[in-house]
Structure formats: C-alpha cells, structure tokens
C-alpha cells in the first residue's frame, strides 16, 4: 500500500496552478506526528504539503514515516535550503528521497511559483544535497501551457546533474483549491511530452522506460482520453490530509464528487479501511469520470498491472512503433 501524507496546507509560494496558499492550515489544525503511528505498514509514502519543511516537527514526522514505510520521498519547493539540509544530514537513510519542484527555467518558474528567486533557492537546495552526498534527490515539473517548452531543458539539466526527473500536468481538485486549470495549447504540450518520452526510451535505464510509459499516459490525459490503467485510489493508496482525514486521492472535486473514508483521529486505520463507507468510496472511484493521471495513482497500478507498461515498452522501444 502507498500513501500521500499531507503535513500542512501552509506554503510560502503563490503558485498559479495551485491555491493551497490561499487556504492555509494553522499549526493547531495540523495532526501531531504521533498520529502517523496509527498508519499501516506501507510500501511507499510521500511527505508533502503545502510546504512540509514549514513544519517545526518535520524531523519527527520523517522518523515515524521511515518506521512505517519501505521508502519515503519528501516533496518540497526547495525554498528553505538550510532547513532541508539539516533534515538531510540527520537522515542518511537510503530509503529517504527528496524532490524539489521546479516549474521551468528561472523566468517561468518564478512567474508560476509567484515568488522571486524561487528557482535559485530550489537549485541551490539540489546542489547542497548533492554536495552532502544525499543519494536519492531529483526535481520535477508540473506542465502547463506556460512552461511546456522548458521541460526538455529541465530534463537535460537533471541528466547533467545525475538526479531524478519527474513530470506531471496541471489538474483541478479540492486539494489544490483550483478549478480553472486548463491546457489550451494541446498540440504543443503533447509534443513536449512526446519528446521527453522519446528521450527516456532512448536511455539504457529500465526505470526510464517505465517513466516513458507514464509520460505517454500524460499525453493521453492532455488529449482528454480515458486512463490507460484502472485507478487504485482507496484500494492500493490513500491520501492523509492535515486534519487526519483519509481520502482515496488528491484529485477529487466537490462539483464531481468528493468523499472521505474516515478520520484517523476518531477511528483506527483498519476500521476505516474495512468500513462500509470505504466500500462506497471505492465504488465511486471505479466510476470516477475524471481520468486523472498523477504519479500517486499511477505508480501503484503500474506495479500491479506490470504487463501493460512492459508490453508498451516492448512495442515502442524494441519494435520501434511510433508514439
């Protein structure tokens, strides 16, 4: 099972594609670290926000999550470099990774993030982590009309730095408090994802081939087509928000549907997971019209339906069928 652990809705960024910063939590509203002791054993956990490094108790949150999960990745905007490096020094655990969000080259990034010198802070954080010898680091981009052309340059930067590179596309959801994200330049954005997909397939790294499949799915999403794989939200993964509420995923919209499985403050996890309410939510997921393609709800199902991305890789890498 996998989980996204949303530690806070506080954030210093003013992102164009996300309005979390307009709806921050207070420290008093955010769960205490010991709530994480109630989680089940996890294969993977993503600690995120808002900006998780705004939590004064981030070290305790990381320590407990590492006890619960086989692998943990912290997602950050990279702005609080000194704080991030302090945490990285404490946890020299190969099971821990850190990902910095960069939304393009400096001009595009700072415009989309709504804060001056955000790119510089993010890049400095990555360089300091590398100097420290921290192994599992990387950065990622959320693609929109504004920054699609920067994606290949960021990929080249990641290659030159020998760090991981992740991609996403803008979505709407209650989590982002955003409902007007659209991609108008469909051909341009699809072309950018196609170029990244080709680059990834051309490498000798097997992990990159499966990332190519993920980017193929992003092309499919941008075109408005149905998901390539069934959604595992609420079955193989869940989303814990700062108030302790457990949702199936972070792609829900109240105008479409939005439902919680339960609250970890009031119930044990197993009770929530096996409840009638959870069964009803899973039924909603099976009939969800949104067709989201986000890594949190794609990575688990790629593992359980491994033959599908593998067949695609054989077809497009080895049999050279066009994308």
């Amino acid at each position: 099972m996998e989980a996204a652990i949303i530690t806070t809705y506080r954030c210093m960024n003013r992102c164009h594609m996300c309005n979390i910063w307009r709806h921050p939590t207070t420290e008093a509203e955010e769960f205490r670290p010991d709530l994480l002791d109630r989680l089940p054993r996890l294969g993977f956990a993503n600690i995120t926000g808002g900006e998780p490094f705004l939590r004064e108790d981030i070290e305790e949150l990381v320590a407990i999550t590492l006890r619960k999960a086989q692998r943990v990745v912290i997602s950050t905007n990279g702005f609080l470099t000194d704080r991030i490096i302090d945490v990285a020094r404490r946890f020299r655990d190969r099971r821990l990774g850190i990902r910095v969000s960069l939304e393009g080259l400096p001009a595009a990034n700072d415009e989309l993030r709504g804060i001056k010198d955000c790119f510089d802070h993010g890049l400095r954080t990555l360089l300091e982590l590398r100097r420290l010898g921290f192994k599992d680091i990387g950065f990622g981009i959320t693609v929109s009309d504004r920054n699609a052309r920067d994606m290949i340059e960021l990929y080249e930067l990641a290659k030159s730095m020998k760090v991981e590179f992740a991609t996403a596309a803008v979505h709407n959801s209650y989590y982002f408090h955003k409902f007007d994200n659209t991609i108008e330049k469909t051909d341009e954005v699809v072309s950018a994802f196609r170029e990244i997909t080709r680059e990834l397939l051309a490498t000798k790294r097997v992990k990159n081939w499966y990332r190519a499949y993920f980017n193929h799915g992003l092309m499919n999403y941008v075109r408005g087509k149905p998901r390539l794989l069934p959604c595992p939200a609420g079955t193989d993964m869940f989303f814990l928000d700062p108030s302790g509420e457990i949702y199936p995923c972070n792609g829900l919209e109240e105008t479409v549907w939005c439902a919680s499985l339960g609250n970890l403050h009031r119930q044990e996890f197993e009770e929530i997971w096996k409840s009638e309410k959870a069964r009803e939510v899973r039924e909603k997921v099976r009939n969800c019209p949104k067709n989201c393609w986000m890594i949190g709800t794609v990575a688990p199902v790629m593992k359980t339906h491994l033959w599908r991305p593998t067949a695609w890789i054989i077809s497009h890498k080895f049999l050279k069928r066009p994308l």
Side-chain angles (χ1 to χ4, degrees), residues 13-27:
N13 280 178
R14 302 290 183 267
C15 291
H16 176 74
M17 63 286 188
C18 172
N19 284 333
I20 279 179
W21 58 276
R22 294 182 185 274
H23 304 270
T25 43
T26 65
E27 290 185 47

Side-chain angles (χ1 to χ4, degrees), residues 41-314:
R41 294 295 303 169
L42 300 167
F44 173 80
N46 176 215
I47 296 175
T48 184
E51 174 47 51
F53 285 95
L54 286 173
R55 289 279 304 238
E56 293 296 325
D57 51 6
I58 183 65
E59 292 94 344
E60 193 174 352
L61 291 166
V62 173
I64 295 173
T65 308
L66 280 169
R67 292 202 299 267
K68 287 289 180 177
Q70 294 175 19
R71 181 167 177 260
V72 178
V73 168
I74 310 172
S75 297
T76 173
N77 59 31
F79 201 82
L80 301 174
T81 302
D82 292 343
R83 183 86 171 113
I84 295 167
I85 297 304
D86 285 346
V87 171
R89 281 199 182 97
R90 176 177 171 183
F91 296 98
R92 292 180 177 272
D93 192 317
R94 287 183 175 272
R95 297 178 298 129
L96 179 66
I98 296 176
R99 297 291 181 271
V100 175
S101 296
L102 294 178
E103 306 307 342
L105 298 177
N109 181 80
D110 290 1
E111 177 191 331
L112 288 169
R113 287 268 158 187
I115 188 169
K116 189 176 184 294
D117 298 330
C118 195
F119 182 91
D120 293 357
H121 282 268
L123 184 59
R124 182 174 291 109
T125 293
L126 287 162
L127 292 171
E128 290 293 329
L129 285 168
R130 196 173 65 168
R131 272 184 59 191
L132 185 64
F134 200 84
K135 299 299 182 183
D136 189 356
I137 58 176
F139 59 89
I141 178 175
T142 299
V143 176
S144 64
D145 290 341
R146 174 64 183 86
N147 62 355
R149 291 183 178 180
D150 286 4
M151 182 162 47
I152 192 65
E153 283 81 7
L154 284 183
Y155 170 71
E156 293 296 335
L157 177 61
K159 274 204 311 184
S160 68
M161 293 178 66
K162 297 182 179 179
V163 300
E164 303 293 337
F165 181 68
T167 53
V170 290
H171 285 74
N172 292 312
S173 82
Y174 85 97
Y175 167 50
F176 305 122
H177 295 278
K178 192 73 174 176
F179 308 102
D180 60 354
N181 278 326
T182 58
I183 292 177
E184 304 293 338
K185 300 176 182 177
T186 303
D187 291 344
E188 181 178 312
V189 173
V190 167
S191 178
F193 277 123
R194 183 180 292 111
E195 186 173 0
I196 284 289
T197 301
R198 285 175 178 150
E199 290 282 341
L200 291 167
L201 279 175
T203 69
K204 296 180 180 180
R205 191 181 184 203
V206 174
K207 186 175 183 178
N208 282 346
W209 304 346
Y210 287 91
R211 282 183 173 153
Y213 177 82
F214 177 75
N215 281 275
H216 165 64
L218 284 172
M219 285 192 280
N220 186 72
Y221 165 76
V222 171
R223 291 183 179 121
K225 296 183 178 181
R227 277 179 66 109
L228 300 176
L229 296 169
C231 183
T235 300
D236 295 330
M237 64 86 58
F238 63 89
F239 174 93
L240 174 67
D241 85 355
S243 69
E245 209 72 25
I246 292 180
Y247 290 95
C249 70
N250 65 346
L252 305 177
E253 290 183 67
E254 291 179 353
T255 55
V256 181
W257 74 277
C258 185
S260 162
L261 283 74
N263 192 291
L264 205 55
H265 286 295
R266 297 189 292 271
Q267 299 168 276
E268 295 299 326
F269 183 86
E270 187 172 358
E271 180 186 355
I272 293 170
W273 204 244
K274 294 181 178 180
S275 68
E276 177 62 20
K277 190 174 183 182
R279 189 198 65 78
E280 292 171 359
V281 168
R282 292 183 187 112
E283 186 62 29
K284 287 180 179 290
V285 170
R286 278 190 286 272
N287 296 290
C288 183
K290 289 205 62 181
N291 293 320
C292 301
W293 192 259
M294 293 186 273
I295 193 63
T297 56
V298 174
V301 77
M302 281 179 64
K303 295 168 188 172
T304 57
H305 290 71
L306 190 60
W307 64 272
R308 290 197 191 178
T310 301
W312 181 90
I313 290 165
I314 292 169

